[in-house]
Amino acid sequence: MKKENTRLLSIVNLIAYLLTITINILAQFGIIGGRTTSEISKMYPTLFTPAGITFAIWGLIYSALGIYSVLQLFKTSDRVVRKVGWPFLVSCLLNIAWTFAWQNDCILLSLIILLMLWASLWLIDQRVKNEGTFVRSTFAVYYAWITVATIANAFVLAAKINPDEYDSVTSQFFVMLALALVTILAVTRNMKDKNTSYAITMAWAVAGVLITHISSNGYDGRYPAVVFVGIIAEIVIDISTIVSFSLNNEKKEISNN
């Protein structure tokens, strides 16, 4: 990529990020579609929807993306901008598209868009694995959370199609299967990667699901099998993250010596 194209891309990326933030803020106030994002979510209760507090991670994600969007304007970041490439712009546009689809109760369309967003973030995540901690962690957290969001969106779609079956035995089985999948993804990432940000995000998501299930404002423990699998998932992810972090620190100490 030429220097001129790199500069143009970095400016376009910043504009796309600012537009993404603006649209999401409008959505939170119900200006898009007439309802807030959480109000749409509450219309379709599922056994996989994390507690509301869990979504505070968006503050971390957008803050980190904001810092990245500013830093990538400097020439010293040209190499990273070229590595990330156009998928970052694509991810911003898909984020905006998902917001409009979700706010207008187009759940199937929102899931399709999320799958495309997941693919764009997967590509970015693969490209920046050898970059600095900040860049790697920023996109790893975003990628992990969109992975969870995609699964959650699929459950919302199922709840919209068949609202009376959202807590059926079959639904509980698929929730436990989803928790197992999240655990496998997190542990696998811990084993292969020096960056534990992805797994920590997955642990945060599982914790959010558990809070929903055990809190009096949620399901108050009515689905013990889901709670049990969730607790196991949380323990396994946490242990693998601690082990991965410890091993990586040992490798750093050995290499420094």
Side-chain angles (χ1 to χ4, degrees):
M1 186 181 292
K2 296 180 180 179
K3 289 184 178 180
E4 295 81 3
N5 293 337
T6 302
R7 297 265 62 76
L8 174 62
L9 179 58
S10 62
I11 293 172
V12 171
N13 281 343
L14 177 60
I15 294 172
Y17 165 76
L18 293 174
L19 183 59
T20 301
I21 290 296
T22 301
I23 295 299
N24 275 271
I25 290 174
L26 294 176
Q28 293 305 319
F29 284 97
I31 297 175
I32 299 175
R35 286 167 293 201
T36 66
T37 305
S38 61
E39 284 174 345
I40 297 292
S41 180
K42 289 176 182 177
M43 289 169 56
Y44 307 107
T46 81
L47 300 184
F48 191 79
T49 303
I53 190 174
T54 320
F55 293 94
I57 195 172
W58 277 116
L60 172 64
I61 291 171
Y62 284 137
S63 296
L65 289 176
I67 295 172
Y68 167 78
S69 297
V70 172
L71 293 178
Q72 51 107 42
L73 294 173
F74 297 95
K75 290 184 177 180
T76 52
S77 299
D78 281 359
R79 183 175 60 82
V80 175
V81 175
R82 287 193 293 270
K83 257 194 171 183
V84 173
W86 293 100
F88 180 75
L89 171 61
V90 173
S91 71
C92 289
L93 296 178
L94 288 171
N95 186 309
I96 292 170
W98 178 87
T99 302
F100 276 98
W102 181 265
Q103 297 301 117
N104 287 283
D105 197 21
C106 300
I107 306 302
L108 175 58
L109 178 59
S110 70
L111 177 58
I112 293 171
I113 293 170
L114 263 188
L115 287 168
M116 293 189 290
L117 176 55
W118 178 89
S120 67
L121 292 174
W122 173 84
L123 184 58
I124 295 173
D125 181 68
Q126 295 299 307
R127 290 182 175 185
V128 301
K129 278 189 174 181
N130 295 320
E131 294 301 321
T133 301
F134 172 74
V135 173
R136 286 189 297 125
S137 296
T138 295
F139 288 107
V141 171
Y142 192 11
Y143 171 51
W145 188 249
I146 290 301
T147 300
V148 174
T150 302
I151 298 172
N153 202 320
F155 278 102
V156 170
L157 178 60
K160 181 175 183 178
I161 294 172
N162 199 348
D164 295 330
E165 295 295 318
Y166 83 93
D167 63 346
S168 65
V169 174
T170 301
S171 179
Q172 293 178 54
F173 170 77
F174 278 108
V175 170
M176 290 186 283
L177 196 63
L179 290 169
L181 174 61
V182 167
T183 304
I184 292 170
L185 291 172
V187 173
T188 301
R189 186 63 178 262
N190 274 335
M191 292 171 61
K192 292 183 176 180
D193 199 6
K194 296 180 181 179
N195 182 8
T196 56
S197 302
Y198 180 95
I200 291 173
T201 305
M202 291 301 201
W204 176 256
V206 172
V209 174
L210 279 173
I211 291 172
T212 296
H213 276 272
I214 65 178
S215 67
S216 58
N217 294 328
Y219 295 117
D220 201 18
R222 292 201 299 272
Y223 309 99
V226 175
V227 173
F228 176 75
V229 173
I231 291 173
I232 297 300
E234 187 69 30
I235 292 173
V236 171
I237 295 174
D238 289 346
I239 291 176
S240 71
T241 302
I242 293 170
V243 171
S244 176
F245 184 78
S246 300
L247 291 176
N248 289 332
N249 278 345
E250 287 180 8
K251 290 179 181 179
K252 287 180 181 179
E253 290 178 2
I254 292 173
S255 60
N256 288 336
N257 292 332

